[in-house]
Amino acid sequence: MSPAHVFEPTYEAIKRRLMNGEWAGGTRIEAARLADDLGVSMTPVRDSLYRLNGERMVDFTPGEGFHVHRLTETEFRDLLELHLILLLAALATAPKGSATSVPADQPYPDRVADLFLAIAERSSNSEIVASIAAIGDRLQLSRHFDAAILADVDAEYDAIAHAVAEAEPQAHVRSLLLGYHEKRAHDAAAYARTLAGHPGRQP
């Protein structure tokens, strides 16, 4: 295993590229080229890719190596459903009337990810927080295409962020979260097509 001071930044760099869609789904990841690009040896790159395989962000096949995971329509729907269930659990276990600071001045996909993490952290349940973060990482690329597929995504974000920041009744926040996830599930086929057609670049 690579030393932590080498492994962690290598892992984070590769993961960020996956989350930003720099590589198309299904693309073979050339570990040697990636190691050269990051200025590290092959060991931390391989260790990182095995960890990301466990997180289902890359796929590994013996004899074929690592490939960027291709998110299917069914998987997208399943992730949205579980994400919603966990967010509602976080709301249900949070102190009543507790306000939460919400992120600002970030790119839209990062604002959304941080908003959902802020909701999760209100529960003080570390397993809920970790699970929402992991699912959010797998959904992050799709958030880059929200504005192209859906309407008024900034207004949608603002409504949820305001409700959370102002500690509005949980029933209202639940309704907003349900609407957010239902809209994307309804257009899951469009997301799957968009993600499949995303060209990325060669790793």
Side-chain angles (χ1 to χ4, degrees), residues 71-85 135 138-139 142 181-193 195:
L71 192 65
T72 67
E73 178 181 347
T74 298
E75 185 180 1
F76 182 64
R77 290 180 190 275
D78 289 347
L79 285 171
L80 286 170
E81 181 179 11
L82 183 55
H83 194 250
L84 175 61
I85 289 170
I135 294 170
R138 293 170 65 192
L139 288 171
S142 70
H181 290 80
E182 283 184 339
K183 281 172 60 177
R184 285 152 183 80
H186 180 267
D187 284 316
Y191 277 96
R193 286 194 302 270
L195 291 167

PDB file of all heavy atoms in Angstrom, residues 71-85 135 138-139 142 181-193 195:
ATOM      1  N   LEU A  71     -22.647   4.764 -15.938  1.00  0.00           N
ATOM      2  CA  LEU A  71     -23.868   4.795 -15.132  1.00  0.00           C
ATOM      3  C   LEU A  71     -25.075   4.513 -16.018  1.00  0.00           C
ATOM      4  O   LEU A  71     -25.331   5.221 -16.984  1.00  0.00           O
ATOM      5  CB  LEU A  71     -24.014   6.159 -14.465  1.00  0.00           C
ATOM      6  CG  LEU A  71     -25.071   6.305 -13.370  1.00  0.00           C
ATOM      7  CD1 LEU A  71     -24.712   5.439 -12.162  1.00  0.00           C
ATOM      8  CD2 LEU A  71     -25.203   7.760 -12.945  1.00  0.00           C
ATOM      9  N   THR A  72     -25.831   3.475 -15.680  1.00  0.00           N
ATOM     10  CA  THR A  72     -27.003   3.108 -16.467  1.00  0.00           C
ATOM     11  C   THR A  72     -28.244   3.830 -15.945  1.00  0.00           C
ATOM     12  O   THR A  72     -28.242   4.393 -14.845  1.00  0.00           O
ATOM     13  CB  THR A  72     -27.260   1.596 -16.398  1.00  0.00           C
ATOM     14  OG1 THR A  72     -27.631   1.253 -15.051  1.00  0.00           O
ATOM     15  CG2 THR A  72     -26.019   0.811 -16.810  1.00  0.00           C
ATOM     16  N   GLU A  73     -29.301   3.770 -16.725  1.00  0.00           N
ATOM     17  CA  GLU A  73     -30.563   4.394 -16.320  1.00  0.00           C
ATOM     18  C   GLU A  73     -31.093   3.778 -15.030  1.00  0.00           C
ATOM     19  O   GLU A  73     -31.514   4.495 -14.110  1.00  0.00           O
ATOM     20  CB  GLU A  73     -31.599   4.245 -17.441  1.00  0.00           C
ATOM     21  CG  GLU A  73     -32.959   4.828 -17.100  1.00  0.00           C
ATOM     22  CD  GLU A  73     -33.968   4.639 -18.220  1.00  0.00           C
ATOM     23  OE1 GLU A  73     -33.567   4.279 -19.349  1.00  0.00           O
ATOM     24  OE2 GLU A  73     -35.175   4.843 -17.964  1.00  0.00           O
ATOM     25  N   THR A  74     -31.058   2.456 -14.938  1.00  0.00           N
ATOM     26  CA  THR A  74     -31.553   1.781 -13.737  1.00  0.00           C
ATOM     27  C   THR A  74     -30.709   2.140 -12.518  1.00  0.00           C
ATOM     28  O   THR A  74     -31.243   2.413 -11.433  1.00  0.00           O
ATOM     29  CB  THR A  74     -31.539   0.252 -13.949  1.00  0.00           C
ATOM     30  OG1 THR A  74     -32.409  -0.072 -15.033  1.00  0.00           O
ATOM     31  CG2 THR A  74     -32.003  -0.471 -12.699  1.00  0.00           C
ATOM     32  N   GLU A  75     -29.416   2.149 -12.685  1.00  0.00           N
ATOM     33  CA  GLU A  75     -28.526   2.486 -11.575  1.00  0.00           C
ATOM     34  C   GLU A  75     -28.746   3.931 -11.127  1.00  0.00           C
ATOM     35  O   GLU A  75     -28.749   4.221  -9.926  1.00  0.00           O
ATOM     36  CB  GLU A  75     -27.074   2.277 -12.003  1.00  0.00           C
ATOM     37  CG  GLU A  75     -26.067   2.484 -10.886  1.00  0.00           C
ATOM     38  CD  GLU A  75     -24.648   2.272 -11.352  1.00  0.00           C
ATOM     39  OE1 GLU A  75     -24.434   1.980 -12.553  1.00  0.00           O
ATOM     40  OE2 GLU A  75     -23.733   2.399 -10.512  1.00  0.00           O
ATOM     41  N   PHE A  76     -28.944   4.816 -12.086  1.00  0.00           N
ATOM     42  CA  PHE A  76     -29.196   6.217 -11.768  1.00  0.00           C
ATOM     43  C   PHE A  76     -30.470   6.349 -10.925  1.00  0.00           C
ATOM     44  O   PHE A  76     -30.481   7.041  -9.901  1.00  0.00           O
ATOM     45  CB  PHE A  76     -29.303   7.021 -13.064  1.00  0.00           C
ATOM     46  CG  PHE A  76     -29.527   8.493 -12.872  1.00  0.00           C
ATOM     47  CD1 PHE A  76     -28.576   9.284 -12.257  1.00  0.00           C
ATOM     48  CD2 PHE A  76     -30.691   9.100 -13.327  1.00  0.00           C
ATOM     49  CE1 PHE A  76     -28.779  10.652 -12.083  1.00  0.00           C
ATOM     50  CE2 PHE A  76     -30.908  10.450 -13.164  1.00  0.00           C
ATOM     51  CZ  PHE A  76     -29.947  11.231 -12.539  1.00  0.00           C
ATOM     52  N   ARG A  77     -31.527   5.668 -11.341  1.00  0.00           N
ATOM     53  CA  ARG A  77     -32.777   5.708 -10.574  1.00  0.00           C
ATOM     54  C   ARG A  77     -32.569   5.142  -9.161  1.00  0.00           C
ATOM     55  O   ARG A  77     -33.062   5.692  -8.173  1.00  0.00           O
ATOM     56  CB  ARG A  77     -33.864   4.900 -11.281  1.00  0.00           C
ATOM     57  CG  ARG A  77     -34.396   5.501 -12.569  1.00  0.00           C
ATOM     58  CD  ARG A  77     -35.456   4.580 -13.149  1.00  0.00           C
ATOM     59  NE  ARG A  77     -35.840   4.961 -14.491  1.00  0.00           N
ATOM     60  CZ  ARG A  77     -36.760   5.880 -14.774  1.00  0.00           C
ATOM     61  NH1 ARG A  77     -37.378   6.494 -13.785  1.00  0.00           N
ATOM     62  NH2 ARG A  77     -37.059   6.161 -16.023  1.00  0.00           N
ATOM     63  N   ASP A  78     -31.856   4.028  -9.072  1.00  0.00           N
ATOM     64  CA  ASP A  78     -31.630   3.393  -7.774  1.00  0.00           C
ATOM     65  C   ASP A  78     -30.824   4.310  -6.845  1.00  0.00           C
ATOM     66  O   ASP A  78     -31.114   4.401  -5.641  1.00  0.00           O
ATOM     67  CB  ASP A  78     -30.897   2.065  -7.950  1.00  0.00           C
ATOM     68  CG  ASP A  78     -31.778   0.986  -8.570  1.00  0.00           C
ATOM     69  OD1 ASP A  78     -33.016   1.186  -8.631  1.00  0.00           O
ATOM     70  OD2 ASP A  78     -31.230  -0.045  -9.000  1.00  0.00           O
ATOM     71  N   LEU A  79     -29.823   4.973  -7.389  1.00  0.00           N
ATOM     72  CA  LEU A  79     -29.014   5.887  -6.581  1.00  0.00           C
ATOM     73  C   LEU A  79     -29.851   7.066  -6.084  1.00  0.00           C
ATOM     74  O   LEU A  79     -29.727   7.474  -4.921  1.00  0.00           O
ATOM     75  CB  LEU A  79     -27.823   6.396  -7.397  1.00  0.00           C
ATOM     76  CG  LEU A  79     -26.671   5.405  -7.612  1.00  0.00           C
ATOM     77  CD1 LEU A  79     -25.672   5.981  -8.609  1.00  0.00           C
ATOM     78  CD2 LEU A  79     -25.977   5.080  -6.303  1.00  0.00           C
ATOM     79  N   LEU A  80     -30.693   7.599  -6.957  1.00  0.00           N
ATOM     80  CA  LEU A  80     -31.564   8.703  -6.548  1.00  0.00           C
ATOM     81  C   LEU A  80     -32.505   8.269  -5.431  1.00  0.00           C
ATOM     82  O   LEU A  80     -32.721   9.012  -4.461  1.00  0.00           O
ATOM     83  CB  LEU A  80     -32.383   9.201  -7.746  1.00  0.00           C
ATOM     84  CG  LEU A  80     -31.646  10.026  -8.797  1.00  0.00           C
ATOM     85  CD1 LEU A  80     -32.544  10.228 -10.014  1.00  0.00           C
ATOM     86  CD2 LEU A  80     -31.216  11.379  -8.229  1.00  0.00           C
ATOM     87  N   GLU A  81     -33.061   7.068  -5.558  1.00  0.00           N
ATOM     88  CA  GLU A  81     -33.994   6.582  -4.550  1.00  0.00           C
ATOM     89  C   GLU A  81     -33.312   6.434  -3.193  1.00  0.00           C
ATOM     90  O   GLU A  81     -33.844   6.862  -2.157  1.00  0.00           O
ATOM     91  CB  GLU A  81     -34.587   5.242  -4.990  1.00  0.00           C
ATOM     92  CG  GLU A  81     -35.597   4.674  -4.005  1.00  0.00           C
ATOM     93  CD  GLU A  81     -36.200   3.357  -4.463  1.00  0.00           C
ATOM     94  OE1 GLU A  81     -35.691   2.775  -5.454  1.00  0.00           O
ATOM     95  OE2 GLU A  81     -37.162   2.902  -3.827  1.00  0.00           O
ATOM     96  N   LEU A  82     -32.128   5.818  -3.184  1.00  0.00           N
ATOM     97  CA  LEU A  82     -31.406   5.631  -1.926  1.00  0.00           C
ATOM     98  C   LEU A  82     -30.941   6.965  -1.349  1.00  0.00           C
ATOM     99  O   LEU A  82     -30.986   7.175  -0.129  1.00  0.00           O
ATOM    100  CB  LEU A  82     -30.216   4.698  -2.149  1.00  0.00           C
ATOM    101  CG  LEU A  82     -29.397   4.341  -0.906  1.00  0.00           C
ATOM    102  CD1 LEU A  82     -30.280   3.761   0.198  1.00  0.00           C
ATOM    103  CD2 LEU A  82     -28.273   3.379  -1.265  1.00  0.00           C
ATOM    104  N   HIS A  83     -30.500   7.855  -2.214  1.00  0.00           N
ATOM    105  CA  HIS A  83     -30.081   9.192  -1.786  1.00  0.00           C
ATOM    106  C   HIS A  83     -31.222   9.901  -1.076  1.00  0.00           C
ATOM    107  O   HIS A  83     -31.039  10.500   0.000  1.00  0.00           O
ATOM    108  CB  HIS A  83     -29.622   9.985  -3.019  1.00  0.00           C
ATOM    109  CG  HIS A  83     -28.878  11.229  -2.713  1.00  0.00           C
ATOM    110  ND1 HIS A  83     -29.401  12.486  -2.946  1.00  0.00           N
ATOM    111  CD2 HIS A  83     -27.637  11.437  -2.192  1.00  0.00           C
ATOM    112  CE1 HIS A  83     -28.514  13.405  -2.599  1.00  0.00           C
ATOM    113  NE2 HIS A  83     -27.444  12.801  -2.139  1.00  0.00           N
ATOM    114  N   LEU A  84     -32.420   9.831  -1.640  1.00  0.00           N
ATOM    115  CA  LEU A  84     -33.589  10.461  -1.029  1.00  0.00           C
ATOM    116  C   LEU A  84     -33.921   9.813   0.314  1.00  0.00           C
ATOM    117  O   LEU A  84     -34.189  10.519   1.296  1.00  0.00           O
ATOM    118  CB  LEU A  84     -34.789  10.354  -1.977  1.00  0.00           C
ATOM    119  CG  LEU A  84     -36.135  10.857  -1.420  1.00  0.00           C
ATOM    120  CD1 LEU A  84     -36.062  12.331  -1.070  1.00  0.00           C
ATOM    121  CD2 LEU A  84     -37.251  10.588  -2.422  1.00  0.00           C
ATOM    122  N   ILE A  85     -33.910   8.498   0.366  1.00  0.00           N
ATOM    123  CA  ILE A  85     -34.217   7.796   1.616  1.00  0.00           C
ATOM    124  C   ILE A  85     -33.273   8.238   2.732  1.00  0.00           C
ATOM    125  O   ILE A  85     -33.691   8.515   3.860  1.00  0.00           O
ATOM    126  CB  ILE A  85     -34.127   6.267   1.403  1.00  0.00           C
ATOM    127  CG1 ILE A  85     -35.294   5.780   0.532  1.00  0.00           C
ATOM    128  CG2 ILE A  85     -34.114   5.529   2.738  1.00  0.00           C
ATOM    129  CD1 ILE A  85     -35.151   4.345   0.065  1.00  0.00           C
ATOM    130  N   ILE A 135     -22.764   8.279  -2.208  1.00  0.00           N
ATOM    131  CA  ILE A 135     -23.749   8.287  -3.299  1.00  0.00           C
ATOM    132  C   ILE A 135     -23.636   9.593  -4.085  1.00  0.00           C
ATOM    133  O   ILE A 135     -23.720   9.604  -5.317  1.00  0.00           O
ATOM    134  CB  ILE A 135     -25.165   8.088  -2.758  1.00  0.00           C
ATOM    135  CG1 ILE A 135     -25.309   6.696  -2.147  1.00  0.00           C
ATOM    136  CG2 ILE A 135     -26.214   8.276  -3.867  1.00  0.00           C
ATOM    137  CD1 ILE A 135     -26.598   6.490  -1.382  1.00  0.00           C
ATOM    138  N   ARG A 138     -20.998   9.496  -6.689  1.00  0.00           N
ATOM    139  CA  ARG A 138     -21.379   8.738  -7.887  1.00  0.00           C
ATOM    140  C   ARG A 138     -22.401   9.506  -8.742  1.00  0.00           C
ATOM    141  O   ARG A 138     -22.504   9.267  -9.951  1.00  0.00           O
ATOM    142  CB  ARG A 138     -21.922   7.375  -7.491  1.00  0.00           C
ATOM    143  CG  ARG A 138     -20.845   6.477  -6.871  1.00  0.00           C
ATOM    144  CD  ARG A 138     -21.428   5.224  -6.273  1.00  0.00           C
ATOM    145  NE  ARG A 138     -22.023   4.375  -7.301  1.00  0.00           N
ATOM    146  CZ  ARG A 138     -22.804   3.325  -7.026  1.00  0.00           C
ATOM    147  NH1 ARG A 138     -23.098   3.026  -5.766  1.00  0.00           N
ATOM    148  NH2 ARG A 138     -23.296   2.597  -8.013  1.00  0.00           N
ATOM    149  N   LEU A 139     -23.140  10.413  -8.121  1.00  0.00           N
ATOM    150  CA  LEU A 139     -24.122  11.222  -8.852  1.00  0.00           C
ATOM    151  C   LEU A 139     -23.540  12.552  -9.343  1.00  0.00           C
ATOM    152  O   LEU A 139     -24.196  13.261 -10.109  1.00  0.00           O
ATOM    153  CB  LEU A 139     -25.323  11.524  -7.950  1.00  0.00           C
ATOM    154  CG  LEU A 139     -26.262  10.358  -7.642  1.00  0.00           C
ATOM    155  CD1 LEU A 139     -27.272  10.773  -6.573  1.00  0.00           C
ATOM    156  CD2 LEU A 139     -26.995   9.905  -8.902  1.00  0.00           C
ATOM    157  N   SER A 142     -23.612  13.602 -13.062  1.00  0.00           N
ATOM    158  CA  SER A 142     -24.941  13.902 -13.603  1.00  0.00           C
ATOM    159  C   SER A 142     -25.362  15.334 -13.294  1.00  0.00           C
ATOM    160  O   SER A 142     -26.117  15.943 -14.061  1.00  0.00           O
ATOM    161  CB  SER A 142     -25.980  12.916 -13.047  1.00  0.00           C
ATOM    162  OG  SER A 142     -26.230  13.146 -11.667  1.00  0.00           O
ATOM    163  N   HIS A 181     -35.690  14.866  -6.381  1.00  0.00           N
ATOM    164  CA  HIS A 181     -35.322  13.521  -6.815  1.00  0.00           C
ATOM    165  C   HIS A 181     -36.304  12.956  -7.843  1.00  0.00           C
ATOM    166  O   HIS A 181     -35.891  12.240  -8.767  1.00  0.00           O
ATOM    167  CB  HIS A 181     -35.219  12.604  -5.595  1.00  0.00           C
ATOM    168  CG  HIS A 181     -34.038  12.914  -4.730  1.00  0.00           C
ATOM    169  ND1 HIS A 181     -34.032  13.951  -3.816  1.00  0.00           N
ATOM    170  CD2 HIS A 181     -32.815  12.333  -4.644  1.00  0.00           C
ATOM    171  CE1 HIS A 181     -32.865  13.993  -3.205  1.00  0.00           C
ATOM    172  NE2 HIS A 181     -32.108  13.024  -3.688  1.00  0.00           N
ATOM    173  N   GLU A 182     -37.587  13.272  -7.701  1.00  0.00           N
ATOM    174  CA  GLU A 182     -38.572  12.759  -8.658  1.00  0.00           C
ATOM    175  C   GLU A 182     -38.349  13.333 -10.056  1.00  0.00           C
ATOM    176  O   GLU A 182     -38.519  12.621 -11.054  1.00  0.00           O
ATOM    177  CB  GLU A 182     -39.987  13.071  -8.175  1.00  0.00           C
ATOM    178  CG  GLU A 182     -40.468  12.165  -7.053  1.00  0.00           C
ATOM    179  CD  GLU A 182     -41.908  12.436  -6.667  1.00  0.00           C
ATOM    180  OE1 GLU A 182     -42.414  13.542  -6.963  1.00  0.00           O
ATOM    181  OE2 GLU A 182     -42.531  11.537  -6.054  1.00  0.00           O
ATOM    182  N   LYS A 183     -37.977  14.606 -10.140  1.00  0.00           N
ATOM    183  CA  LYS A 183     -37.712  15.215 -11.442  1.00  0.00           C
ATOM    184  C   LYS A 183     -36.600  14.478 -12.172  1.00  0.00           C
ATOM    185  O   LYS A 183     -36.694  14.198 -13.371  1.00  0.00           O
ATOM    186  CB  LYS A 183     -37.329  16.693 -11.273  1.00  0.00           C
ATOM    187  CG  LYS A 183     -38.494  17.631 -11.032  1.00  0.00           C
ATOM    188  CD  LYS A 183     -38.022  19.024 -10.685  1.00  0.00           C
ATOM    189  CE  LYS A 183     -37.189  19.644 -11.780  1.00  0.00           C
ATOM    190  NZ  LYS A 183     -36.789  21.044 -11.440  1.00  0.00           N
ATOM    191  N   ARG A 184     -35.549  14.161 -11.462  1.00  0.00           N
ATOM    192  CA  ARG A 184     -34.411  13.494 -12.093  1.00  0.00           C
ATOM    193  C   ARG A 184     -34.727  12.038 -12.419  1.00  0.00           C
ATOM    194  O   ARG A 184     -34.302  11.534 -13.461  1.00  0.00           O
ATOM    195  CB  ARG A 184     -33.192  13.627 -11.186  1.00  0.00           C
ATOM    196  CG  ARG A 184     -32.618  15.046 -11.255  1.00  0.00           C
ATOM    197  CD  ARG A 184     -31.909  15.491  -9.990  1.00  0.00           C
ATOM    198  NE  ARG A 184     -31.459  16.868 -10.138  1.00  0.00           N
ATOM    199  CZ  ARG A 184     -32.262  17.946  -9.987  1.00  0.00           C
ATOM    200  NH1 ARG A 184     -33.542  17.781  -9.684  1.00  0.00           N
ATOM    201  NH2 ARG A 184     -31.787  19.168 -10.155  1.00  0.00           N
ATOM    202  N   ALA A 185     -35.469  11.381 -11.538  1.00  0.00           N
ATOM    203  CA  ALA A 185     -35.863  10.000 -11.835  1.00  0.00           C
ATOM    204  C   ALA A 185     -36.757   9.948 -13.071  1.00  0.00           C
ATOM    205  O   ALA A 185     -36.659   9.028 -13.889  1.00  0.00           O
ATOM    206  CB  ALA A 185     -36.573   9.398 -10.637  1.00  0.00           C
ATOM    207  N   HIS A 186     -37.630  10.938 -13.217  1.00  0.00           N
ATOM    208  CA  HIS A 186     -38.530  10.997 -14.373  1.00  0.00           C
ATOM    209  C   HIS A 186     -37.737  11.112 -15.668  1.00  0.00           C
ATOM    210  O   HIS A 186     -38.144  10.576 -16.712  1.00  0.00           O
ATOM    211  CB  HIS A 186     -39.493  12.175 -14.226  1.00  0.00           C
ATOM    212  CG  HIS A 186     -40.458  12.307 -15.362  1.00  0.00           C
ATOM    213  ND1 HIS A 186     -40.210  13.103 -16.464  1.00  0.00           N
ATOM    214  CD2 HIS A 186     -41.672  11.727 -15.576  1.00  0.00           C
ATOM    215  CE1 HIS A 186     -41.226  13.021 -17.299  1.00  0.00           C
ATOM    216  NE2 HIS A 186     -42.126  12.198 -16.785  1.00  0.00           N
ATOM    217  N   ASP A 187     -36.612  11.829 -15.618  1.00  0.00           N
ATOM    218  CA  ASP A 187     -35.790  12.036 -16.808  1.00  0.00           C
ATOM    219  C   ASP A 187     -34.534  11.166 -16.792  1.00  0.00           C
ATOM    220  O   ASP A 187     -33.526  11.518 -17.409  1.00  0.00           O
ATOM    221  CB  ASP A 187     -35.402  13.513 -16.931  1.00  0.00           C
ATOM    222  CG  ASP A 187     -36.544  14.374 -17.428  1.00  0.00           C
ATOM    223  OD1 ASP A 187     -37.225  13.947 -18.382  1.00  0.00           O
ATOM    224  OD2 ASP A 187     -36.769  15.467 -16.876  1.00  0.00           O
ATOM    225  N   ALA A 188     -34.606  10.020 -16.104  1.00  0.00           N
ATOM    226  CA  ALA A 188     -33.440   9.150 -15.981  1.00  0.00           C
ATOM    227  C   ALA A 188     -32.917   8.705 -17.343  1.00  0.00           C
ATOM    228  O   ALA A 188     -31.705   8.595 -17.552  1.00  0.00           O
ATOM    229  CB  ALA A 188     -33.773   7.934 -15.123  1.00  0.00           C
ATOM    230  N   ALA A 189     -33.813   8.454 -18.280  1.00  0.00           N
ATOM    231  CA  ALA A 189     -33.379   8.022 -19.611  1.00  0.00           C
ATOM    232  C   ALA A 189     -32.566   9.108 -20.297  1.00  0.00           C
ATOM    233  O   ALA A 189     -31.561   8.827 -20.959  1.00  0.00           O
ATOM    234  CB  ALA A 189     -34.590   7.647 -20.461  1.00  0.00           C
ATOM    235  N   ALA A 190     -32.980  10.361 -20.133  1.00  0.00           N
ATOM    236  CA  ALA A 190     -32.246  11.476 -20.729  1.00  0.00           C
ATOM    237  C   ALA A 190     -30.862  11.603 -20.098  1.00  0.00           C
ATOM    238  O   ALA A 190     -29.866  11.872 -20.785  1.00  0.00           O
ATOM    239  CB  ALA A 190     -33.025  12.775 -20.565  1.00  0.00           C
ATOM    240  N   TYR A 191     -30.788  11.412 -18.787  1.00  0.00           N
ATOM    241  CA  TYR A 191     -29.481  11.461 -18.118  1.00  0.00           C
ATOM    242  C   TYR A 191     -28.583  10.339 -18.623  1.00  0.00           C
ATOM    243  O   TYR A 191     -27.392  10.556 -18.894  1.00  0.00           O
ATOM    244  CB  TYR A 191     -29.659  11.360 -16.600  1.00  0.00           C
ATOM    245  CG  TYR A 191     -29.977  12.663 -15.942  1.00  0.00           C
ATOM    246  CD1 TYR A 191     -31.291  13.027 -15.665  1.00  0.00           C
ATOM    247  CD2 TYR A 191     -28.967  13.560 -15.585  1.00  0.00           C
ATOM    248  CE1 TYR A 191     -31.592  14.239 -15.043  1.00  0.00           C
ATOM    249  CE2 TYR A 191     -29.251  14.765 -14.961  1.00  0.00           C
ATOM    250  CZ  TYR A 191     -30.574  15.105 -14.697  1.00  0.00           C
ATOM    251  OH  TYR A 191     -30.862  16.302 -14.091  1.00  0.00           O
ATOM    252  N   ALA A 192     -29.129   9.133 -18.737  1.00  0.00           N
ATOM    253  CA  ALA A 192     -28.332   7.993 -19.194  1.00  0.00           C
ATOM    254  C   ALA A 192     -27.800   8.234 -20.602  1.00  0.00           C
ATOM    255  O   ALA A 192     -26.636   7.951 -20.893  1.00  0.00           O
ATOM    256  CB  ALA A 192     -29.161   6.713 -19.147  1.00  0.00           C
ATOM    257  N   ARG A 193     -28.644   8.783 -21.482  1.00  0.00           N
ATOM    258  CA  ARG A 193     -28.193   9.079 -22.855  1.00  0.00           C
ATOM    259  C   ARG A 193     -27.108  10.147 -22.846  1.00  0.00           C
ATOM    260  O   ARG A 193     -26.114  10.045 -23.583  1.00  0.00           O
ATOM    261  CB  ARG A 193     -29.383   9.554 -23.712  1.00  0.00           C
ATOM    262  CG  ARG A 193     -30.356   8.463 -24.109  1.00  0.00           C
ATOM    263  CD  ARG A 193     -31.288   8.953 -25.212  1.00  0.00           C
ATOM    264  NE  ARG A 193     -32.042  10.132 -24.806  1.00  0.00           N
ATOM    265  CZ  ARG A 193     -33.219  10.107 -24.210  1.00  0.00           C
ATOM    266  NH1 ARG A 193     -33.789   8.940 -23.924  1.00  0.00           N
ATOM    267  NH2 ARG A 193     -33.857  11.226 -23.890  1.00  0.00           N
ATOM    268  N   LEU A 195     -25.046  11.001 -20.390  1.00  0.00           N
ATOM    269  CA  LEU A 195     -23.810  10.480 -19.812  1.00  0.00           C
ATOM    270  C   LEU A 195     -23.103   9.537 -20.778  1.00  0.00           C
ATOM    271  O   LEU A 195     -21.877   9.558 -20.894  1.00  0.00           O
ATOM    272  CB  LEU A 195     -24.116   9.764 -18.495  1.00  0.00           C
ATOM    273  CG  LEU A 195     -24.569  10.665 -17.343  1.00  0.00           C
ATOM    274  CD1 LEU A 195     -25.139   9.833 -16.199  1.00  0.00           C
ATOM    275  CD2 LEU A 195     -23.424  11.537 -16.848  1.00  0.00           C
TER     276      LEU A 195
END
